[in-house]
Amino acid sequence: VQLQASGGGLVQAGGSLRLSCAASRRTFSSYGMGWFRQAPGKEREFVATIGDSTRYADSVKGRFTISRDNAKNTVYLQMNSLKPEDTAVYYCAATRLQIGVGPADYIYWGQGTQVTVSS
C-alpha cells in the first residue's frame, strides 16, 4: 500500500487544518489507519487511529477528528484549535489490525506532511 499525505502548512494558533492521506490499494477498507507526528528532536508519537473504532492521544482529544472515506481510499485528520505544540511532521500509516496506537503496529507509512503552528 502506498500512502500519500497532504494538507499540511503554516497556520496561526487557534486555526484549523485538514490533512488527507490517499491510499493506492482497493483493499484500503480492510486496513486500520492512523496518524502519527514527529517534532524535531522528539520520538514519533501517536495522534489518532480509526478502524472498527477511533482512538485519540490525550493531547489532541476534543480538538482533532479522524475519519475515512473508503470509496475514495482516503483517511482524514481534521485539526481544530491548533497550538504551537502541535507543530510536527504528520505521518499517516496503515495497519492490518483494526486500530493501533504504537508505531510498531503499522506496516505502511506515508512520506509525512509538515504542520507548523505559529503563536
Side-chain angles (χ1 to χ4, degrees):
V1 178
Q2 291 185 324
L3 302 173
Q4 181 71 40
S6 61
L10 173 64
V11 64
Q12 289 187 331
S16 298
L17 282 174
R18 188 176 81 155
L19 306 184
S20 300
C21 176
S24 63
R25 184 165 288 185
R26 294 179 184 177
T27 55
F28 169 78
S29 61
S30 67
Y31 290 87
M33 298 297 296
W35 287 96
F36 289 77
R37 65 187 182 186
Q38 189 166 18
K42 295 187 177 181
E43 294 186 352
R44 192 167 297 189
E45 66 173 2
F46 167 74
V47 175
T49 183
I50 185 168
D52 56 357
S53 61
T54 58
R55 194 170 296 178
Y56 297 90
D58 288 343
S59 59
V60 307
K61 203 171 294 183
R63 300 187 298 122
F64 292 10
T65 302
I66 189 170
S67 61
R68 67 191 298 166
D69 185 339
N70 290 334
K72 295 182 178 180
N73 289 355
T74 302
V75 62
Y76 304 96
L77 185 68
Q78 177 67 44
M79 306 185 295
N80 298 328
S81 302
L82 282 161
K83 304 175 181 180
E85 51 263 43
D86 295 318
T87 296
V89 177
Y90 282 71
Y91 298 89
C92 61
T95 175
R96 290 200 175 101
L97 305 174
Q98 278 297 318
I99 59 172
V101 298
D105 293 334
Y106 290 81
I107 54 174
Y108 300 109
W109 291 85
Q111 85 290 357
T113 184
Q114 176 71 47
V115 172
T116 303
V117 184
S118 63
S119 57

